[in-house]
Amino acid sequence: MQTLGQAAQPSVILADEPLRAIELSAATVTFGRGDKAVPALSETSLRIADGEFVALVGPSGCGKSTILRLVSGLVQPTRGVVIVGGREVAAKALRIGMAFQNPTLLPWLTIEQNVMLPLRIVQPFRARYRRERRTTFRDKAHALLGQVGLKGFASRYPWQLSGGMLQRANLCRALIHEPRMLLLDEPFGALDQFTREELWSILQDLWLAHKPTVLLVTHDLREAGFLAGRICVMSARPGRIIDDSPVDFARPRTIAMTFEPEFVTLNQRLRDLIVHTRSLPAEREN
Amino acid sequence: MPANLRQKIWSFALIVLFFGGWEVFCLASGMSDLILPRPSQVFETLYNRFPVLWPHIIRTISTTLGGFALGVALGVVLGALIGVSRVAYDTAYPLLIGFSSIPKVAVVPIFVLWFGSGEVPAILTSIAICFFPIVVNIATGLATTEPELEDVLKVWGASKFDILWNVGLPRTMPFFFASLKVAITYAFVGTVLAETVASNRGIGNVMMSASSNFDVPLVFVGLFILAGLGVLLYVVFSLVEGRVTGWATRKNDIAAA
């Protein structure tokens, strides 16, 4: 991410502390008003340093995706503060890449054109798009596609690719504009077990190569354990973080590692936490 | 491809069968040609009267295309305005439905009242009848952009216009061309309708005067010409559609390109 140096990144840097990419302070989100108000997130505080890989796990509907939407600025907190890249979110302080379970590639564009879409929109690439789309930008897209094993598919259309391939292309699209932060909302949820594991390794490689801050929302505890450097467990709706623990396995991690006793123990512990919070009535404190 | 060819042969066979059956039916039942002329009589009349009919055909086509072009322009603008926001879509929809439910025959006399008989009411009628499917399709295409995709774009800092330009409009193209095919036939209907009510030229007018002279074969000539023109215009727009929005039909020949 050194190449981003020329784009000034105004941010508040606290002495001796790693730059905080994300900081939620008692952020509460409520959808709707009055009687129909639905609390989605209650007083959640979360700090994520630059370059960290954090996974959010928890029961369905606990507000995991709401945190992603808060961080990306798509949703404003009802109460509390959300600071991203040293600024309140609305300021759009840093470049963000995003990927959902649905790859949402545009069917009328080739894979290469799809991957290059952010460059048409995000500054400073946008200003150079016309000049460089056939040269440096295309090389960039091809390099990324090569990293995820889609080398020969640049000029294919999305419907010619399998679900797993589409999701790889989606990851490329999320990374092409060199985002400092990558927000992933169950990106592999719709894939079969083997494709999913393959993509974990690809995502790990991409992260090791580019080192963006990653916030990954997932249901899959093995996925969280394999990829993340830190796992946050959320309670049932309205969500709050009830457990936040580091994952210290050495990188690059392997699929085989996920069957080792230590990993299984971690998995078990997370599972128990989630099962426990699910069984609690939503309103009560744990 | 063979399957495609076979289907074409069947379509052609069906047309031949239709006219053949009609011919045989008339001959067998001894039907008077004042009631139902045989297809062969109709084609004969068409051939003999063609020089006289030609200016009328031109007039009908030009009126149709004029009304169609204006109707499309109006439809695109309205559709884009309505489709950009959900609120506008929901607000304007009842009015549009109301307008589209009015039988356009009822509107022609008003246009004649305002603009006299001739080409203007015919163009207006065809606009009124053909713009609606365009509006609906453009608006629907714009309004149904996947919310996740819109989120991704917003996070990139895309403006409303960026989203419209890069996603909304290209997405709308298949809807747009599908609606063009419908609109062109509607425009045609509108034109002929107005010509039958108040005009001194055009196929609609020819049919009206032929029927008042009990020249039934000529009335049928009019029908045949209209059907032929309708098919022709439909085919033209299908071809354009295939070129522009082939991605939406997922044909294998695009894969080869």
Side-chain angles (χ1 to χ4, degrees), chain A residues 69 74 96 98 100 102 104 106-108 118 120-121 126 160 177, chain B residues 148-149 151-153 155-156 158 162 166-167 170-171 247 250-251 255:
Chain A
R69 295 171 67 80
L74 291 167
I96 297 176
M98 221 173 176
F100 291 95
N102 175 0
T104 61
L106 304 178
W108 57 89
R120 283 199 217 181
I121 291 168
R126 183 185 187 129
Q160 297 174 296
H177 55 299
Chain B
E148 290 178 342
L149 182 60
D151 284 352
V152 169
L153 283 151
V155 167
W156 293 339
D162 287 334
N166 287 295
V167 180
R171 250 189 75 84
W247 59 267
R250 306 190 169 192
K251 283 204 188 99

PDB file of all heavy atoms in Angstrom, chain A residues 69 74 96 98 100 102 104 106-108 118 120-121 126 160 177, chain B residues 148-149 151-153 155-156 158 162 166-167 170-171 247 250-251 255:
ATOM      1  N   ARG A  69     -21.936  -1.648   7.661  1.00  0.00           N
ATOM      2  CA  ARG A  69     -22.575  -0.502   7.019  1.00  0.00           C
ATOM      3  C   ARG A  69     -22.251   0.799   7.740  1.00  0.00           C
ATOM      4  O   ARG A  69     -22.180   1.863   7.128  1.00  0.00           O
ATOM      5  CB  ARG A  69     -24.081  -0.728   6.926  1.00  0.00           C
ATOM      6  CG  ARG A  69     -24.438  -1.904   5.998  1.00  0.00           C
ATOM      7  CD  ARG A  69     -25.905  -2.266   6.061  1.00  0.00           C
ATOM      8  NE  ARG A  69     -26.737  -1.207   5.515  1.00  0.00           N
ATOM      9  CZ  ARG A  69     -26.924  -1.025   4.211  1.00  0.00           C
ATOM     10  NH1 ARG A  69     -26.374  -1.834   3.353  1.00  0.00           N
ATOM     11  NH2 ARG A  69     -27.680  -0.036   3.784  1.00  0.00           N
ATOM     12  N   LEU A  74     -22.566   3.834   5.059  1.00  0.00           N
ATOM     13  CA  LEU A  74     -23.894   3.671   4.462  1.00  0.00           C
ATOM     14  C   LEU A  74     -24.990   3.912   5.486  1.00  0.00           C
ATOM     15  O   LEU A  74     -26.110   4.228   5.135  1.00  0.00           O
ATOM     16  CB  LEU A  74     -24.031   2.264   3.873  1.00  0.00           C
ATOM     17  CG  LEU A  74     -23.178   1.976   2.646  1.00  0.00           C
ATOM     18  CD1 LEU A  74     -23.145   0.495   2.342  1.00  0.00           C
ATOM     19  CD2 LEU A  74     -23.703   2.756   1.447  1.00  0.00           C
ATOM     20  N   ILE A  96     -12.247   2.543   0.378  1.00  0.00           N
ATOM     21  CA  ILE A  96     -12.797   1.314   0.925  1.00  0.00           C
ATOM     22  C   ILE A  96     -13.149   0.371  -0.226  1.00  0.00           C
ATOM     23  O   ILE A  96     -13.672   0.800  -1.247  1.00  0.00           O
ATOM     24  CB  ILE A  96     -14.067   1.612   1.748  1.00  0.00           C
ATOM     25  CG1 ILE A  96     -13.712   2.496   2.944  1.00  0.00           C
ATOM     26  CG2 ILE A  96     -14.723   0.325   2.218  1.00  0.00           C
ATOM     27  CD1 ILE A  96     -14.902   2.922   3.760  1.00  0.00           C
ATOM     28  N   MET A  98     -15.302  -3.266  -1.035  1.00  0.00           N
ATOM     29  CA  MET A  98     -16.384  -3.983  -0.395  1.00  0.00           C
ATOM     30  C   MET A  98     -16.789  -5.190  -1.219  1.00  0.00           C
ATOM     31  O   MET A  98     -16.759  -5.143  -2.440  1.00  0.00           O
ATOM     32  CB  MET A  98     -17.579  -3.033  -0.284  1.00  0.00           C
ATOM     33  CG  MET A  98     -18.300  -3.149   1.018  1.00  0.00           C
ATOM     34  SD  MET A  98     -19.544  -1.875   1.109  1.00  0.00           S
ATOM     35  CE  MET A  98     -20.285  -2.325   2.649  1.00  0.00           C
ATOM     36  N   PHE A 100     -19.810  -8.479  -1.126  1.00  0.00           N
ATOM     37  CA  PHE A 100     -20.924  -9.162  -0.479  1.00  0.00           C
ATOM     38  C   PHE A 100     -20.992 -10.613  -0.938  1.00  0.00           C
ATOM     39  O   PHE A 100     -20.261 -11.027  -1.836  1.00  0.00           O
ATOM     40  CB  PHE A 100     -22.247  -8.486  -0.849  1.00  0.00           C
ATOM     41  CG  PHE A 100     -22.420  -7.115  -0.271  1.00  0.00           C
ATOM     42  CD1 PHE A 100     -22.096  -5.985  -1.004  1.00  0.00           C
ATOM     43  CD2 PHE A 100     -22.917  -6.962   1.011  1.00  0.00           C
ATOM     44  CE1 PHE A 100     -22.266  -4.724  -0.478  1.00  0.00           C
ATOM     45  CE2 PHE A 100     -23.098  -5.699   1.545  1.00  0.00           C
ATOM     46  CZ  PHE A 100     -22.763  -4.584   0.806  1.00  0.00           C
ATOM     47  N   ASN A 102     -23.381 -11.875  -2.647  1.00  0.00           N
ATOM     48  CA  ASN A 102     -23.772 -11.805  -4.048  1.00  0.00           C
ATOM     49  C   ASN A 102     -22.699 -11.008  -4.802  1.00  0.00           C
ATOM     50  O   ASN A 102     -22.472  -9.865  -4.492  1.00  0.00           O
ATOM     51  CB  ASN A 102     -25.143 -11.105  -4.104  1.00  0.00           C
ATOM     52  CG  ASN A 102     -25.609 -10.864  -5.505  1.00  0.00           C
ATOM     53  OD1 ASN A 102     -24.929 -11.206  -6.468  1.00  0.00           O
ATOM     54  ND2 ASN A 102     -26.780 -10.270  -5.625  1.00  0.00           N
ATOM     55  N   THR A 104     -22.536  -9.517  -7.567  1.00  0.00           N
ATOM     56  CA  THR A 104     -23.029  -8.307  -8.253  1.00  0.00           C
ATOM     57  C   THR A 104     -22.098  -7.794  -9.354  1.00  0.00           C
ATOM     58  O   THR A 104     -21.918  -6.599  -9.502  1.00  0.00           O
ATOM     59  CB  THR A 104     -23.308  -7.128  -7.295  1.00  0.00           C
ATOM     60  OG1 THR A 104     -22.100  -6.751  -6.637  1.00  0.00           O
ATOM     61  CG2 THR A 104     -24.355  -7.481  -6.278  1.00  0.00           C
ATOM     62  N   LEU A 106     -21.352  -6.819 -13.158  1.00  0.00           N
ATOM     63  CA  LEU A 106     -22.280  -6.317 -14.159  1.00  0.00           C
ATOM     64  C   LEU A 106     -22.266  -7.236 -15.379  1.00  0.00           C
ATOM     65  O   LEU A 106     -21.213  -7.464 -15.972  1.00  0.00           O
ATOM     66  CB  LEU A 106     -21.884  -4.894 -14.570  1.00  0.00           C
ATOM     67  CG  LEU A 106     -21.803  -3.922 -13.395  1.00  0.00           C
ATOM     68  CD1 LEU A 106     -21.349  -2.551 -13.861  1.00  0.00           C
ATOM     69  CD2 LEU A 106     -23.142  -3.825 -12.697  1.00  0.00           C
ATOM     70  N   PRO A 107     -23.417  -7.767 -15.757  1.00  0.00           N
ATOM     71  CA  PRO A 107     -23.455  -8.797 -16.791  1.00  0.00           C
ATOM     72  C   PRO A 107     -23.050  -8.305 -18.182  1.00  0.00           C
ATOM     73  O   PRO A 107     -22.712  -9.112 -19.032  1.00  0.00           O
ATOM     74  CB  PRO A 107     -24.910  -9.278 -16.784  1.00  0.00           C
ATOM     75  CG  PRO A 107     -25.678  -8.217 -16.105  1.00  0.00           C
ATOM     76  CD  PRO A 107     -24.742  -7.540 -15.158  1.00  0.00           C
ATOM     77  N   TRP A 108     -23.088  -7.012 -18.406  1.00  0.00           N
ATOM     78  CA  TRP A 108     -22.770  -6.518 -19.755  1.00  0.00           C
ATOM     79  C   TRP A 108     -21.290  -6.180 -19.905  1.00  0.00           C
ATOM     80  O   TRP A 108     -20.854  -5.774 -20.968  1.00  0.00           O
ATOM     81  CB  TRP A 108     -23.628  -5.311 -20.117  1.00  0.00           C
ATOM     82  CG  TRP A 108     -23.512  -4.170 -19.164  1.00  0.00           C
ATOM     83  CD1 TRP A 108     -22.617  -3.148 -19.226  1.00  0.00           C
ATOM     84  CD2 TRP A 108     -24.319  -3.938 -18.011  1.00  0.00           C
ATOM     85  NE1 TRP A 108     -22.813  -2.296 -18.168  1.00  0.00           N
ATOM     86  CE2 TRP A 108     -23.848  -2.746 -17.417  1.00  0.00           C
ATOM     87  CE3 TRP A 108     -25.398  -4.612 -17.423  1.00  0.00           C
ATOM     88  CZ2 TRP A 108     -24.417  -2.233 -16.257  1.00  0.00           C
ATOM     89  CZ3 TRP A 108     -25.956  -4.090 -16.276  1.00  0.00           C
ATOM     90  CH2 TRP A 108     -25.471  -2.922 -15.706  1.00  0.00           C
ATOM     91  N   PRO A 118     -14.130   0.094 -10.351  1.00  0.00           N
ATOM     92  CA  PRO A 118     -13.819   1.106  -9.331  1.00  0.00           C
ATOM     93  C   PRO A 118     -12.886   2.198  -9.862  1.00  0.00           C
ATOM     94  O   PRO A 118     -12.972   3.351  -9.438  1.00  0.00           O
ATOM     95  CB  PRO A 118     -13.114   0.308  -8.230  1.00  0.00           C
ATOM     96  CG  PRO A 118     -13.540  -1.088  -8.429  1.00  0.00           C
ATOM     97  CD  PRO A 118     -13.787  -1.268  -9.887  1.00  0.00           C
ATOM     98  N   ARG A 120     -12.952   3.576 -12.622  1.00  0.00           N
ATOM     99  CA  ARG A 120     -13.732   4.578 -13.352  1.00  0.00           C
ATOM    100  C   ARG A 120     -14.376   5.578 -12.418  1.00  0.00           C
ATOM    101  O   ARG A 120     -14.810   6.644 -12.838  1.00  0.00           O
ATOM    102  CB  ARG A 120     -14.897   3.899 -14.091  1.00  0.00           C
ATOM    103  CG  ARG A 120     -14.524   3.198 -15.320  1.00  0.00           C
ATOM    104  CD  ARG A 120     -15.805   3.042 -16.110  1.00  0.00           C
ATOM    105  NE  ARG A 120     -15.810   1.770 -16.795  1.00  0.00           N
ATOM    106  CZ  ARG A 120     -16.791   1.362 -17.588  1.00  0.00           C
ATOM    107  NH1 ARG A 120     -17.875   2.115 -17.724  1.00  0.00           N
ATOM    108  NH2 ARG A 120     -16.728   0.226 -18.183  1.00  0.00           N
ATOM    109  N   ILE A 121     -14.483   5.176 -11.135  1.00  0.00           N
ATOM    110  CA  ILE A 121     -15.278   5.983 -10.210  1.00  0.00           C
ATOM    111  C   ILE A 121     -14.437   6.615  -9.116  1.00  0.00           C
ATOM    112  O   ILE A 121     -14.647   7.763  -8.744  1.00  0.00           O
ATOM    113  CB  ILE A 121     -16.395   5.102  -9.605  1.00  0.00           C
ATOM    114  CG1 ILE A 121     -17.409   4.772 -10.695  1.00  0.00           C
ATOM    115  CG2 ILE A 121     -17.079   5.802  -8.441  1.00  0.00           C
ATOM    116  CD1 ILE A 121     -18.381   3.701 -10.332  1.00  0.00           C
ATOM    117  N   ARG A 126      -9.775   7.801 -11.334  1.00  0.00           N
ATOM    118  CA  ARG A 126     -10.811   8.276 -12.236  1.00  0.00           C
ATOM    119  C   ARG A 126     -10.285   9.280 -13.249  1.00  0.00           C
ATOM    120  O   ARG A 126     -10.588   9.197 -14.432  1.00  0.00           O
ATOM    121  CB  ARG A 126     -11.893   8.917 -11.371  1.00  0.00           C
ATOM    122  CG  ARG A 126     -13.056   9.390 -12.128  1.00  0.00           C
ATOM    123  CD  ARG A 126     -14.007  10.123 -11.193  1.00  0.00           C
ATOM    124  NE  ARG A 126     -15.205  10.427 -11.925  1.00  0.00           N
ATOM    125  CZ  ARG A 126     -16.427  10.144 -11.513  1.00  0.00           C
ATOM    126  NH1 ARG A 126     -16.615   9.592 -10.345  1.00  0.00           N
ATOM    127  NH2 ARG A 126     -17.463  10.443 -12.246  1.00  0.00           N
ATOM    128  N   GLN A 160     -20.383 -16.742 -17.827  1.00  0.00           N
ATOM    129  CA  GLN A 160     -19.598 -17.878 -18.290  1.00  0.00           C
ATOM    130  C   GLN A 160     -18.747 -18.471 -17.177  1.00  0.00           C
ATOM    131  O   GLN A 160     -18.036 -19.445 -17.395  1.00  0.00           O
ATOM    132  CB  GLN A 160     -18.685 -17.435 -19.439  1.00  0.00           C
ATOM    133  CG  GLN A 160     -19.464 -16.961 -20.650  1.00  0.00           C
ATOM    134  CD  GLN A 160     -18.559 -16.395 -21.717  1.00  0.00           C
ATOM    135  OE1 GLN A 160     -17.889 -15.391 -21.502  1.00  0.00           O
ATOM    136  NE2 GLN A 160     -18.525 -17.037 -22.859  1.00  0.00           N
ATOM    137  N   HIS A 177      -8.643  -0.768  -6.534  1.00  0.00           N
ATOM    138  CA  HIS A 177      -8.360   0.642  -6.285  1.00  0.00           C
ATOM    139  C   HIS A 177      -7.524   0.830  -5.030  1.00  0.00           C
ATOM    140  O   HIS A 177      -7.529   1.905  -4.439  1.00  0.00           O
ATOM    141  CB  HIS A 177      -9.650   1.453  -6.230  1.00  0.00           C
ATOM    142  CG  HIS A 177     -10.643   0.947  -5.227  1.00  0.00           C
ATOM    143  ND1 HIS A 177     -11.189  -0.312  -5.287  1.00  0.00           N
ATOM    144  CD2 HIS A 177     -11.182   1.526  -4.132  1.00  0.00           C
ATOM    145  CE1 HIS A 177     -12.022  -0.473  -4.274  1.00  0.00           C
ATOM    146  NE2 HIS A 177     -12.029   0.621  -3.553  1.00  0.00           N
TER     147      HIS A 177
ATOM    148  N   GLU B 148     -27.315  -4.146  -3.097  1.00  0.00           N
ATOM    149  CA  GLU B 148     -25.926  -4.416  -2.706  1.00  0.00           C
ATOM    150  C   GLU B 148     -24.940  -3.725  -3.642  1.00  0.00           C
ATOM    151  O   GLU B 148     -23.941  -3.161  -3.214  1.00  0.00           O
ATOM    152  CB  GLU B 148     -25.663  -5.927  -2.736  1.00  0.00           C
ATOM    153  CG  GLU B 148     -26.383  -6.675  -1.645  1.00  0.00           C
ATOM    154  CD  GLU B 148     -26.145  -8.180  -1.732  1.00  0.00           C
ATOM    155  OE1 GLU B 148     -25.730  -8.646  -2.807  1.00  0.00           O
ATOM    156  OE2 GLU B 148     -26.375  -8.862  -0.727  1.00  0.00           O
ATOM    157  N   LEU B 149     -25.271  -3.779  -4.926  1.00  0.00           N
ATOM    158  CA  LEU B 149     -24.396  -3.141  -5.906  1.00  0.00           C
ATOM    159  C   LEU B 149     -24.373  -1.639  -5.682  1.00  0.00           C
ATOM    160  O   LEU B 149     -23.330  -0.991  -5.756  1.00  0.00           O
ATOM    161  CB  LEU B 149     -24.890  -3.473  -7.314  1.00  0.00           C
ATOM    162  CG  LEU B 149     -24.048  -2.912  -8.451  1.00  0.00           C
ATOM    163  CD1 LEU B 149     -22.637  -3.441  -8.370  1.00  0.00           C
ATOM    164  CD2 LEU B 149     -24.655  -3.283  -9.785  1.00  0.00           C
ATOM    165  N   ASP B 151     -24.806  -0.147  -2.864  1.00  0.00           N
ATOM    166  CA  ASP B 151     -23.988   0.088  -1.678  1.00  0.00           C
ATOM    167  C   ASP B 151     -22.511   0.116  -2.040  1.00  0.00           C
ATOM    168  O   ASP B 151     -21.767   1.003  -1.620  1.00  0.00           O
ATOM    169  CB  ASP B 151     -24.228  -1.021  -0.636  1.00  0.00           C
ATOM    170  CG  ASP B 151     -25.551  -0.844   0.081  1.00  0.00           C
ATOM    171  OD1 ASP B 151     -26.183   0.212  -0.123  1.00  0.00           O
ATOM    172  OD2 ASP B 151     -25.947  -1.746   0.828  1.00  0.00           O
ATOM    173  N   VAL B 152     -22.093  -0.891  -2.828  1.00  0.00           N
ATOM    174  CA  VAL B 152     -20.687  -0.962  -3.222  1.00  0.00           C
ATOM    175  C   VAL B 152     -20.276   0.326  -3.933  1.00  0.00           C
ATOM    176  O   VAL B 152     -19.241   0.917  -3.641  1.00  0.00           O
ATOM    177  CB  VAL B 152     -20.452  -2.192  -4.125  1.00  0.00           C
ATOM    178  CG1 VAL B 152     -19.078  -2.131  -4.759  1.00  0.00           C
ATOM    179  CG2 VAL B 152     -20.601  -3.477  -3.337  1.00  0.00           C
ATOM    180  N   LEU B 153     -21.141   0.789  -4.834  1.00  0.00           N
ATOM    181  CA  LEU B 153     -20.824   1.996  -5.591  1.00  0.00           C
ATOM    182  C   LEU B 153     -20.771   3.235  -4.700  1.00  0.00           C
ATOM    183  O   LEU B 153     -19.909   4.082  -4.854  1.00  0.00           O
ATOM    184  CB  LEU B 153     -21.855   2.194  -6.701  1.00  0.00           C
ATOM    185  CG  LEU B 153     -21.658   1.280  -7.900  1.00  0.00           C
ATOM    186  CD1 LEU B 153     -22.971   0.979  -8.584  1.00  0.00           C
ATOM    187  CD2 LEU B 153     -20.696   1.911  -8.891  1.00  0.00           C
ATOM    188  N   VAL B 155     -20.011   3.306  -1.597  1.00  0.00           N
ATOM    189  CA  VAL B 155     -18.805   3.246  -0.780  1.00  0.00           C
ATOM    190  C   VAL B 155     -17.590   3.727  -1.587  1.00  0.00           C
ATOM    191  O   VAL B 155     -16.655   4.287  -1.040  1.00  0.00           O
ATOM    192  CB  VAL B 155     -18.603   1.815  -0.236  1.00  0.00           C
ATOM    193  CG1 VAL B 155     -17.223   1.633   0.340  1.00  0.00           C
ATOM    194  CG2 VAL B 155     -19.656   1.510   0.809  1.00  0.00           C
ATOM    195  N   TRP B 156     -17.635   3.528  -2.883  1.00  0.00           N
ATOM    196  CA  TRP B 156     -16.557   4.048  -3.730  1.00  0.00           C
ATOM    197  C   TRP B 156     -16.654   5.556  -3.905  1.00  0.00           C
ATOM    198  O   TRP B 156     -15.837   6.159  -4.581  1.00  0.00           O
ATOM    199  CB  TRP B 156     -16.616   3.419  -5.122  1.00  0.00           C
ATOM    200  CG  TRP B 156     -16.310   1.972  -5.158  1.00  0.00           C
ATOM    201  CD1 TRP B 156     -15.626   1.265  -4.214  1.00  0.00           C
ATOM    202  CD2 TRP B 156     -16.663   1.033  -6.176  1.00  0.00           C
ATOM    203  NE1 TRP B 156     -15.541  -0.052  -4.593  1.00  0.00           N
ATOM    204  CE2 TRP B 156     -16.162  -0.222  -5.791  1.00  0.00           C
ATOM    205  CE3 TRP B 156     -17.348   1.137  -7.385  1.00  0.00           C
ATOM    206  CZ2 TRP B 156     -16.332  -1.365  -6.559  1.00  0.00           C
ATOM    207  CZ3 TRP B 156     -17.515   0.007  -8.147  1.00  0.00           C
ATOM    208  CH2 TRP B 156     -17.004  -1.241  -7.746  1.00  0.00           C
ATOM    209  N   ALA B 158     -19.335   7.029  -5.405  1.00  0.00           N
ATOM    210  CA  ALA B 158     -20.007   7.327  -6.667  1.00  0.00           C
ATOM    211  C   ALA B 158     -21.158   8.294  -6.436  1.00  0.00           C
ATOM    212  O   ALA B 158     -21.885   8.177  -5.459  1.00  0.00           O
ATOM    213  CB  ALA B 158     -20.519   6.039  -7.294  1.00  0.00           C
ATOM    214  N   ASP B 162     -23.026   8.979 -11.442  1.00  0.00           N
ATOM    215  CA  ASP B 162     -22.115   7.854 -11.714  1.00  0.00           C
ATOM    216  C   ASP B 162     -22.884   6.547 -11.740  1.00  0.00           C
ATOM    217  O   ASP B 162     -22.676   5.695 -12.608  1.00  0.00           O
ATOM    218  CB  ASP B 162     -21.035   7.746 -10.626  1.00  0.00           C
ATOM    219  CG  ASP B 162     -20.004   8.848 -10.737  1.00  0.00           C
ATOM    220  OD1 ASP B 162     -19.823   9.367 -11.846  1.00  0.00           O
ATOM    221  OD2 ASP B 162     -19.384   9.183  -9.709  1.00  0.00           O
ATOM    222  N   ASN B 166     -23.129   4.356 -15.064  1.00  0.00           N
ATOM    223  CA  ASN B 166     -22.383   3.105 -15.143  1.00  0.00           C
ATOM    224  C   ASN B 166     -23.235   1.857 -14.916  1.00  0.00           C
ATOM    225  O   ASN B 166     -22.887   0.787 -15.386  1.00  0.00           O
ATOM    226  CB  ASN B 166     -21.236   3.103 -14.127  1.00  0.00           C
ATOM    227  CG  ASN B 166     -20.108   4.016 -14.544  1.00  0.00           C
ATOM    228  OD1 ASN B 166     -19.458   3.791 -15.548  1.00  0.00           O
ATOM    229  ND2 ASN B 166     -19.905   5.088 -13.783  1.00  0.00           N
ATOM    230  N   VAL B 167     -24.300   2.008 -14.173  1.00  0.00           N
ATOM    231  CA  VAL B 167     -25.102   0.837 -13.838  1.00  0.00           C
ATOM    232  C   VAL B 167     -26.550   0.974 -14.301  1.00  0.00           C
ATOM    233  O   VAL B 167     -27.060   0.118 -15.019  1.00  0.00           O
ATOM    234  CB  VAL B 167     -25.077   0.576 -12.314  1.00  0.00           C
ATOM    235  CG1 VAL B 167     -25.905  -0.644 -11.990  1.00  0.00           C
ATOM    236  CG2 VAL B 167     -23.645   0.378 -11.842  1.00  0.00           C
ATOM    237  N   PRO B 170     -27.094   1.207 -18.475  1.00  0.00           N
ATOM    238  CA  PRO B 170     -26.807  -0.067 -19.161  1.00  0.00           C
ATOM    239  C   PRO B 170     -27.761  -1.182 -18.753  1.00  0.00           C
ATOM    240  O   PRO B 170     -28.202  -1.971 -19.589  1.00  0.00           O
ATOM    241  CB  PRO B 170     -25.379  -0.405 -18.712  1.00  0.00           C
ATOM    242  CG  PRO B 170     -24.794   0.857 -18.247  1.00  0.00           C
ATOM    243  CD  PRO B 170     -25.908   1.712 -17.759  1.00  0.00           C
ATOM    244  N   ARG B 171     -28.107  -1.216 -17.455  1.00  0.00           N
ATOM    245  CA  ARG B 171     -29.040  -2.219 -16.970  1.00  0.00           C
ATOM    246  C   ARG B 171     -30.401  -2.107 -17.635  1.00  0.00           C
ATOM    247  O   ARG B 171     -31.114  -3.078 -17.821  1.00  0.00           O
ATOM    248  CB  ARG B 171     -29.262  -1.984 -15.475  1.00  0.00           C
ATOM    249  CG  ARG B 171     -28.697  -2.985 -14.564  1.00  0.00           C
ATOM    250  CD  ARG B 171     -29.221  -2.675 -13.186  1.00  0.00           C
ATOM    251  NE  ARG B 171     -30.613  -3.078 -13.092  1.00  0.00           N
ATOM    252  CZ  ARG B 171     -30.981  -4.305 -12.819  1.00  0.00           C
ATOM    253  NH1 ARG B 171     -30.100  -5.216 -12.583  1.00  0.00           N
ATOM    254  NH2 ARG B 171     -32.265  -4.612 -12.771  1.00  0.00           N
ATOM    255  N   TRP B 247     -25.870  -9.346 -24.241  1.00  0.00           N
ATOM    256  CA  TRP B 247     -25.468  -9.897 -22.947  1.00  0.00           C
ATOM    257  C   TRP B 247     -26.651 -10.395 -22.138  1.00  0.00           C
ATOM    258  O   TRP B 247     -26.515 -11.297 -21.321  1.00  0.00           O
ATOM    259  CB  TRP B 247     -24.685  -8.878 -22.138  1.00  0.00           C
ATOM    260  CG  TRP B 247     -25.429  -7.606 -21.867  1.00  0.00           C
ATOM    261  CD1 TRP B 247     -25.393  -6.466 -22.608  1.00  0.00           C
ATOM    262  CD2 TRP B 247     -26.316  -7.337 -20.788  1.00  0.00           C
ATOM    263  NE1 TRP B 247     -26.202  -5.513 -22.066  1.00  0.00           N
ATOM    264  CE2 TRP B 247     -26.781  -6.017 -20.951  1.00  0.00           C
ATOM    265  CE3 TRP B 247     -26.768  -8.080 -19.697  1.00  0.00           C
ATOM    266  CZ2 TRP B 247     -27.667  -5.442 -20.064  1.00  0.00           C
ATOM    267  CZ3 TRP B 247     -27.654  -7.494 -18.819  1.00  0.00           C
ATOM    268  CH2 TRP B 247     -28.099  -6.184 -19.010  1.00  0.00           C
ATOM    269  N   ARG B 250     -27.783 -14.034 -23.285  1.00  0.00           N
ATOM    270  CA  ARG B 250     -26.833 -15.109 -23.009  1.00  0.00           C
ATOM    271  C   ARG B 250     -26.747 -16.115 -24.132  1.00  0.00           C
ATOM    272  O   ARG B 250     -26.774 -17.316 -23.919  1.00  0.00           O
ATOM    273  CB  ARG B 250     -27.222 -15.859 -21.738  1.00  0.00           C
ATOM    274  CG  ARG B 250     -27.381 -14.927 -20.591  1.00  0.00           C
ATOM    275  CD  ARG B 250     -27.533 -15.666 -19.319  1.00  0.00           C
ATOM    276  NE  ARG B 250     -27.419 -14.739 -18.219  1.00  0.00           N
ATOM    277  CZ  ARG B 250     -27.289 -15.098 -16.977  1.00  0.00           C
ATOM    278  NH1 ARG B 250     -27.241 -16.358 -16.671  1.00  0.00           N
ATOM    279  NH2 ARG B 250     -27.183 -14.210 -16.031  1.00  0.00           N
ATOM    280  N   LYS B 251     -26.672 -15.616 -25.345  1.00  0.00           N
ATOM    281  CA  LYS B 251     -26.526 -16.546 -26.457  1.00  0.00           C
ATOM    282  C   LYS B 251     -25.095 -17.031 -26.528  1.00  0.00           C
ATOM    283  O   LYS B 251     -24.171 -16.344 -26.159  1.00  0.00           O
ATOM    284  CB  LYS B 251     -26.907 -15.849 -27.764  1.00  0.00           C
ATOM    285  CG  LYS B 251     -28.400 -15.715 -27.924  1.00  0.00           C
ATOM    286  CD  LYS B 251     -28.755 -15.579 -29.395  1.00  0.00           C
ATOM    287  CE  LYS B 251     -30.212 -15.258 -29.577  1.00  0.00           C
ATOM    288  NZ  LYS B 251     -30.468 -13.846 -29.802  1.00  0.00           N
ATOM    289  N   ALA B 255     -20.262 -15.765 -26.692  1.00  0.00           N
ATOM    290  CA  ALA B 255     -19.135 -16.393 -26.016  1.00  0.00           C
ATOM    291  C   ALA B 255     -17.969 -16.562 -26.982  1.00  0.00           C
ATOM    292  O   ALA B 255     -16.813 -16.417 -26.612  1.00  0.00           O
ATOM    293  CB  ALA B 255     -19.560 -17.748 -25.476  1.00  0.00           C
TER     294      ALA B 255
END
